[in-house]
Structures are given as C-alpha cells and as structure tokens.
Amino acid sequence: MTAQAMFDKHRDRLERAVRACETREFHSAFDESPSPRVYGESAAADGKAAFEALLGQAFPLATPGSDGEVATERSPYGFDLGVTYPRVTDPAALLEAAAAGMKQWRDAGPQARVGVALEILDRLHARIFELANAVQHTSGQAFVMAFQAGGAHALDRALEAIAYAHVEMTRVPASAVWEKPGPKPGSEPLRMEKTYTVVPRGVALVIGCNTFPTWNSWPGLFASLVTGNPVVVKPHPGAVLPLAITVQVCQEVLAEAGFDPHLVTLAAEEPTDRLAATLAVHPSVKLIDFTGGNAFGDWLEDNARQATVFTEKAGVNTVVIDSTDSFKAMCQNLAFSFALYTGQMCTAPQNVYLPADGITTEDGTKSVAEVAEGIGNALGRMLGDDARAVELLGAVVNDDVRDRVDSVDTRGDVLVPSRVVAHPAYADATVRTPAIVGLDAADATVYEEECFGPVAYLISTPGTASSIELFRDTVQRRGAMTAAVYSTSDEVIAAMRDAALDAGVALSENLHGAVFVNQSAAYSDFHGTGANPAANASYTDGAYVASRFRFVQSRRHL
C-alpha cells in the first residue's frame, strides 16, 4: 500500500480527530472496552497467546549499531519475561542509520507521512491485546487499565499528536503566488512564485518510562515522525517489550510504503550503559522527549543544548479541601484516585490541604481525623477483597515504590495504614494499598518532595486561605501535573482558579462521580501545561508539535 493510499484509507479518522481537538468535545477513535462484543470472541486469547509466544525468545528486530543482546525485564507480577533485544554498543552507527532515510521521508511531504503514521496506529490497534499484556507485565498495571491506558487511550493520544502536527504543517500552503502592484497605473505587477517546505529538525530521541511505556512515549514519537524526523526509541530497561512491538510495527509499515524502516529504531541497553545520556548529547539529536524523574530530566535540560527537550518530570499534585455537600462521594472519589494503579501515576494526588479545625459538610464539621476515616472507609470498601483489589491496584512496579510505602511511618502520623494484598493469580506479585499520613503545614520538607507511589498526605493548615497559598507557592516552586478543590463556596472556587492560573496547573473542581483527578481525556484535556516545573510541554497543544519542524522557502520570478 502506498503512503497516499494509507492517507486516503484513514482520512476520515484524521478529520474527526482534528475536529475534536478544535471543539474539545468527547471523542475516541479506539474502543476502550476489551469486551468480546467489541473486538471479537477470540481477540483476548489470541493477544495473550501472542504475548506469551514472545517470552523467553529473541525479539525479531534488527538494530544498527548493536552487538549482543540484553534481557532486562521482570514482571511486577513476579516472573522474568526473558525476552532478548539487540544491545546498542555503537550509538553513532545507530544515529547514522536512523538519519539515512530522512531526506526521502522529508521529500514525501506531510500528507504521505501522516498517512504512514495513521496506518501504524491502525496496525498497533490490531495488536491491542498483545500490547495490553506487554504493558501489564512491564508496568504492573492491572490488565484492564493496561488495555485502556496502554492501548486505546495511548492510541488516542498518538492520534491527537498526529492531528495537531497535520494542522501545523498544513497551516502554510505548499506554494503561493505573490503579486505586488506596479509603481504606476497600468504598469506590470511584480510577481513571484514561492514554495514552502516542511523541514525536519533532525534525529529525535524518545526516552521511555517504566510505568506508562506507550502512553507517555507515543505522543512524542508520532509528533516527531510525522513532522519528518527519524526517531530513536530508548525504552526503560524494565519496559522494553511494548516499545519493541511499537518499533516493529513502525518498521513494517515504513518498509511497505517504500521508506527506510530504520526511520524508527529501538535502542535497548543494560541499565548501567547510560545509553540515553550518550545519545542525548550527540550533535545529530535535535529533539528529545523524556518522561521520568527530576534528576535526569534536569540534566537533559541543562546538557542537551543542541536539542529541543520536552520533559515530564516529578511534581506534588495537590487537593485543597474546604467544604463539601457530599462527604461520602468526595471520600470515595479521593480513595479511588489514591488507589488507581497503586498511586504510580504522574497525575495521582499526593498533598491534601485542609483546615486543622475541620471541613464543613452536609453532616456538620468533620475533623481531619474524620476525613482520614472517611477516606479509609472508602478504601476499605473498594479494596477489602483481595481479588477485587488487584484489579484496581495492579502491582508495585519496583522496589523503590515498595520501600517508600513500607517505611511510611517515618514520614508522619499514619492515619490509614497500607496493607499487603495477596494476588490470587500471581503469588509473587507485590501489591500494597495506599497509606494516608497526617502532617502539619510546617512539615514542608516532607510534603514538598514527590513520594511516588501509594502514599498521600493530609496536611493540616490554619485555614482554607492558607491552604490555597501553600498550594500556589509549592506548585510554582516544585511543580504539579494536577490539582483539585472541594468547596461549596463560590469565593473559594474562584480563589483556587486564580491560584491554579498563577501556578500553571490544571484544576478539577468538586469531583464526585466517575471522573477522577488523575485521568485526562485526549482531544479535550491538556496533560501538563508546560507552565510549572513538573513539565515544560503539554499533551497536546500546537507548541508541542510546531517546534519539531521549520518552514524553509524558495522563491522565483514569474
């Protein structure tokens, strides 16, 4: 199939995505339900079988600049994947191979590149159950979440990035006739023909994370690819398989459309190789997408001077509780947000500020202890049965997260303790429920640092006005991906909106139902703002894609 045929095949999907980005209405191009009524009776079993067939085998992918193999993945559910990948030992050779096809890819034009990218998404969607298993057993997400966040929602975020890139690349016409009237009536006008070409920046590097290997990598990968840039995908050593499948599909479609398959390559490594740092400062690398901790994110921003660097790092996501007219629903919503994927989300709430004198509810004033009890009771209802609990919690992704929750008593007064959950299907899985810790406003050395995982702080303040100022100040200095407020007062809501604008963070107000602060919807919600230290970019706005290419013009007399 040609690239043009691919574009024609998926034109309607692209146009609907572009329209949804403009209107910000609900839209999804990929069904999030793993039901056999949607995907067919055998889809789940076939996908699991495809995943299991990869275990203990060499992954079928050739990588320029590689020598030997690496096998670095262990499922958080307690077993080694045993998949081996080519180990990159010559980064320069890898980058040279990646760049070899860039001119042909550039000259193909925006429409051809978008068509290829849309076909890649279509074929990834066809492997969604295989991908879901791969995400589950590298990240620790429960299967349904892996299917949704690692499959359908990740595909939507990728499509969103493609839609934005398409709009930005086609904002300027490919050619135009420029005509300036002559100096005198009846004199010949000055006429020129001008050509405008989308020119890529250079090789793009995508540095994946352990917890959301597809959701956090695909937007940058596809934003760079469709704007003409070759992409080197450097996965986290603990979560290689989902991105290896991604690269495999990219190469398959690129080759079929007549392009160099190494326009997308996989760069696997041993954890001690520090391959990302080596690649990041190479002169040919002009774009970097990174999701992870502050230390390496800051290092990239300071040292990869030759590249435009897009980072999503750590922050302290905040909830301010002032009052509520639905105490039980508020506690239920917060409990779900703390528990979802064991709090291992960059959007999970951590700091909950509330007045030391308590909050106003429909049942009178509730003390800090009663708020903790309400959240604890909600956690007990949803996580009391181990078999049900694991479908929400998933598994602890690594020892660092486990150690944080197991040592939570060193951080403050444990109001709701964590407990060990036995997984009914995976005896060696590490599963924990969230812990709630009581702090005072003076304990800034504790709550101003991200505690990634299932730990939340109830922070007593002198009052709501103080809570809002603490929120504003902390996020401006430390960053946050999300914020929320609970209040029945219009004045408090207005003050929180103003503080959120000052801090540059998205705000959710009085969430009681089936929408949670740590969830965001493609085409409608911006993930991150680029306006505070937690992230310097957003999924997805025009700025996220427009700096990945430049318009270069030529002109001539007519």
Side-chain angles (χ1 to χ4, degrees):
M1 193 188 315
T2 66
Q4 183 60 51
M6 292 174 183
F7 183 85
D8 293 339
K9 174 183 175 183
H10 301 295
R11 185 192 300 267
D12 182 61
R13 175 174 282 174
L14 173 67
E15 290 175 350
R16 284 184 282 121
V18 169
R19 187 163 55 251
C21 291
E22 292 171 349
T23 64
R24 315 309 291 181
E25 63 192 9
F26 170 77
H27 177 67
S28 179
F30 307 96
D31 202 299
E32 69 177 7
S33 171
S35 168
R37 292 190 298 274
V38 176
Y39 286 95
E41 292 295 331
S42 66
D46 292 345
K48 186 174 183 180
F51 163 73
E52 291 175 343
L54 296 171
L55 301 181
Q57 305 295 319
F59 192 85
L61 199 65
T63 299
S66 64
D67 184 23
E69 296 178 327
V70 292
T72 54
E73 296 161 298
R74 179 172 176 80
S75 171
Y77 293 93
F79 62 90
D80 292 332
L81 270 62
V83 184
T84 60
Y85 308 94
R87 180 183 185 179
V88 172
T89 56
D90 188 346
L94 173 67
L95 293 170
E96 183 179 356
M102 183 164 61
K103 282 192 176 182
Q104 182 200 15
W105 186 235
R106 177 199 68 193
D107 294 345
Q111 193 169 99
R113 294 193 298 269
V114 168
V116 169
L118 292 171
E119 179 64 19
I120 292 170
L121 293 191
D122 198 53
R123 297 193 194 184
L124 287 170
H125 189 215
R127 297 175 69 172
I128 190 169
F129 282 92
E130 180 186 0
L131 279 162
N133 280 276
V135 170
Q136 177 186 13
H137 287 292
T138 53
S139 71
Q141 295 175 31
F143 176 78
V144 172
M145 182 174 181
F147 184 92
Q148 293 177 340
H153 298 170
L155 287 165
D156 271 324
R157 281 296 186 188
L159 177 57
E160 178 186 49
I162 293 169
Y164 266 93
H166 173 73
V167 168
E168 293 298 331
M169 289 189 294
T170 57
R171 187 181 301 280
V172 174
S175 63
V177 173
W178 180 86
E179 184 172 304
K180 181 180 180 180
K184 297 179 180 180
S187 62
E188 285 293 318
L190 183 62
R191 301 178 72 239
M192 299 194 78
E193 181 185 56
K194 303 184 181 185
T195 301
Y196 306 95
T197 302
V198 172
V199 174
R201 303 291 303 278
V203 177
L205 173 64
V206 174
I207 304 172
C209 66
N210 200 169
T211 48
F212 287 87
T214 54
W215 198 96
N216 274 115
S217 296
W218 285 356
L221 190 166
F222 285 97
S224 288
L225 186 64
V226 298
T227 51
N229 306 279
V231 183
V232 174
V233 180
K234 209 300 293 181
H236 187 285
V240 184
L241 185 56
L243 292 178
I245 294 170
T246 302
V247 172
Q248 183 185 57
V249 173
C250 289
Q251 293 187 349
E252 169 190 290
V253 176
L254 284 163
E256 183 177 319
F259 298 102
D260 188 335
H262 292 133
L263 284 164
V264 181
T265 52
L266 184 76
E269 62 167 346
E270 289 287 355
T272 56
D273 289 349
R274 292 189 55 79
L275 180 59
T278 301
L279 291 169
V281 296
H282 193 280
S284 67
V285 171
K286 300 301 184 183
L287 299 165
I288 300 174
D289 286 271
F290 169 77
T291 303
N294 284 339
F296 192 56
D298 291 344
W299 184 92
L300 287 170
E301 292 172 351
D302 291 340
N303 291 276
R305 297 289 187 174
Q306 83 294 345
T308 299
V309 181
F310 305 88
T311 58
E312 181 189 310
K313 301 177 292 187
V316 283
N317 300 322
T318 301
V319 180
V320 170
I321 304 179
D322 167 69
S323 54
T324 181
D325 56 9
S326 186
F327 180 74
K328 185 175 180 180
M330 180 191 76
C331 291
Q332 186 78 8
N333 192 280
L334 286 172
F336 186 95
S337 297
F338 295 142
L340 183 62
Y341 183 34
T342 319
Q344 298 168 127
M345 304 174 68
C346 63
T347 51
Q350 174 181 298
N351 292 351
V352 181
Y353 297 113
L354 70 172
D357 292 337
I359 66 169
T360 302
T361 77
E362 72 274 24
D363 297 320
T365 300
K366 298 281 189 182
S367 67
V368 174
E370 288 174 312
V371 173
E373 181 183 18
I375 296 172
N377 289 339
L379 287 168
R381 287 191 297 272
M382 68 179 64
L383 305 176
D385 176 71
D386 283 1
R388 289 180 53 216
V390 297
E391 298 306 320
L392 179 59
L393 294 167
V396 172
V397 69
N398 57 42
D399 292 346
D400 290 341
V401 175
R402 180 203 62 200
D403 293 345
R404 287 187 203 107
V405 69
D406 287 351
S407 63
V408 74
D409 58 345
T410 65
R411 299 176 180 272
D413 182 18
V414 179
L415 304 176
V416 178
S418 175
R419 74 175 183 90
V420 175
V421 175
H423 200 295
Y426 299 100
D428 294 328
T430 300
V431 187
R432 299 286 191 275
T433 63
I436 311 295
V437 178
L439 299 174
D440 292 321
D443 297 319
T445 55
V446 179
Y447 64 74
E448 285 191 357
E449 297 293 331
E450 183 188 49
C451 185
F452 188 75
V455 178
Y457 301 128
L458 287 191
I459 304 164
S460 299
T461 73
T464 296
S466 176
S467 296
I468 294 173
E469 285 308 309
L470 281 169
F471 155 64
R472 176 189 278 111
D473 175 67
T474 302
V475 174
Q476 284 178 330
R477 290 184 295 106
R478 299 292 187 174
M481 297 298 291
T482 62
V485 60
Y486 287 90
S487 180
T488 58
S489 163
D490 291 342
E491 290 77 14
V492 169
I493 295 294
M496 270 297 289
R497 288 178 182 171
D498 185 70
L501 293 175
D502 289 343
V505 63
L507 180 67
S508 297
E509 303 167 7
N510 292 318
L511 298 183
H512 293 139
V515 175
F516 305 94
V517 69
N518 36 356
Q519 297 174 323
S520 67
Y523 316 106
S524 186
D525 293 325
F526 293 104
H527 175 72
T529 64
N532 71 64
N536 70 2
S538 176
Y539 300 166
T540 300
D541 58 14
Y544 185 68
V545 298
S547 56
R548 297 173 191 263
F549 68 92
R550 292 290 185 262
F551 287 109
V552 178
Q553 73 172 48
S554 61
R555 58 184 182 171
R556 61 211 62 87
H557 286 290
L558 282 177

